[in-house]
Amino acid sequence: MTPPPYVPGHGLLAGRAVVITAAAGAGIGGATARRCLEEGARVLVSDAHERRLAATAAELEKEFGADRVEALPCDVTSEDQVRALYDRAVERFGRIDVAVNNAGLGGTADLVDMTDEQWGRVLDITLTGTMRCTRAALRLMRDQGSGVVVNNASVIGWRAQKGQSHYAAAKAGVMALTRCSALEAADFGVRVNAVSPSLAMHPHLVKVTSEELLEELTRREAFGRYAEPWEVANVIVFLASDYSSYMTGEVVSVSSQHA
């Protein structure tokens, strides 16, 4: 089954300032940056891969204008770099309306063979990195009295899969972090939600996942196809917009998998 037609922008984020991690390339982060710009936002894109980030930023600037696009490399395992990222956003845009925490690291390893280093690396980027970025955003949004955080979780935080103990634990942690921080942030008018995609195809996923596993996961999808990254980005935009004004602490599954 082929994907549906691309949905045009409707000004859902007009004038808002958005920070997106892991936004270089053709994955969910890059698709989200484009969707936010199409919806009228100003966007600070970030990624640990400087060359890919520069290429992504140049492409977006050419299409949407340099006045609406900023880029800064950031490794979410570094508290100093995370702080610098949000400082740059405030310096450039004057405020932060939306933070999309997309950075994560996967991999496949059975627990009996997994090293502490493998476990720790995935948890540090995927869970602790999301915590660092959420914390930085909330500190600024608390003073503003408004803002939205959208985290990227995964259905694997709910569903078991061999070789994914570290990644599943990290994504389940992102879900719990989302729910708990949302209750705290509600006290100062800020919402925190998450998306939980099943299978969104992008070049990095192909590099770290076997062809056999990708085919198996695709067969499980009710539509018989994987999601396009922009289909996940659409839901992120919904959660970032006023259309989800009564939603906080929610994890929205972006999936066509059988129950």
Side-chain angles (χ1 to χ4, degrees):
M1 185 178 294
T2 58
Y6 194 82
V7 181
H10 290 79
L12 298 183
L13 301 177
R16 299 191 184 180
V18 181
V19 177
I20 306 171
T21 59
I28 292 172
T32 300
R34 176 171 294 278
R35 290 267 42 177
C36 288
L37 287 162
E38 290 168 347
E39 296 292 347
R42 297 169 293 165
V43 175
L44 171 53
V45 290
S46 179
D47 202 284
H49 301 278
E50 296 189 29
R51 182 183 57 79
R52 289 193 306 172
L53 177 63
T56 296
E59 179 181 343
L60 294 175
E61 286 177 2
K62 183 177 180 180
E63 186 169 351
F64 297 98
D67 59 321
R68 294 177 57 200
V69 179
E70 179 69 40
L72 183 70
C74 178
D75 179 349
V76 298
T77 67
S78 166
E79 174 64 11
D80 289 343
Q81 291 190 37
V82 170
R83 289 183 180 178
L85 175 66
Y86 282 90
D87 286 345
R88 173 69 67 86
V90 173
E91 178 184 338
R92 176 68 188 271
F93 300 135
R95 60 183 290 115
I96 298 172
D97 298 297
V98 179
V100 179
N101 299 323
N102 177 63
L105 177 68
T108 301
D110 287 349
L111 190 60
V112 294
D113 300 317
M114 190 181 299
T115 65
D116 283 3
E117 183 179 5
Q118 286 176 298
W119 173 272
R121 180 71 173 157
V122 169
L123 268 289
D124 195 18
I125 293 175
T126 307
L127 176 56
T128 309
T130 299
M131 181 280 295
R132 292 186 186 100
C133 292
T134 299
R135 181 175 61 191
L138 291 183
R139 285 172 174 169
L140 293 169
M141 292 174 178
R142 176 180 56 192
D143 295 337
Q144 294 175 176
S146 65
V148 181
V149 176
V150 184
N151 294 323
N152 192 357
S154 168
V155 294
I156 205 168
W158 287 314
R159 301 168 183 170
Q161 185 176 315
K162 290 181 179 178
Q164 296 296 310
S165 294
H166 47 359
Y167 188 64
K171 289 300 190 180
V174 169
M175 294 177 181
L177 169 67
T178 298
R179 289 188 289 264
C180 293
S181 61
L183 291 181
E184 299 171 9
D187 292 341
F188 42 90
V190 173
R191 300 187 295 111
V192 185
N193 291 293
V195 293
S196 179
S198 56
L199 182 62
M201 191 62 67
H202 54 87
H204 180 68
L205 183 63
V206 173
K207 291 179 182 179
V208 299
T209 309
S210 69
E211 183 176 347
E212 293 76 17
L213 179 56
L214 288 175
E215 289 177 356
E216 177 188 345
L217 294 174
T218 301
R219 285 195 300 269
R220 293 182 190 176
E221 299 291 323
F223 293 136
R225 67 173 178 86
Y226 49 78
E228 298 294 331
W230 62 263
E231 292 181 287
V232 180
N234 285 347
V235 182
I236 292 174
V237 166
F238 163 71
L239 291 175
S241 77
D242 291 340
Y243 278 108
S244 61
S245 60
Y246 196 66
M247 293 178 65
T248 197
E250 295 294 335
V251 179
V252 180
S253 178
V254 188
S255 170
S256 72
Q257 288 187 324
H258 297 288

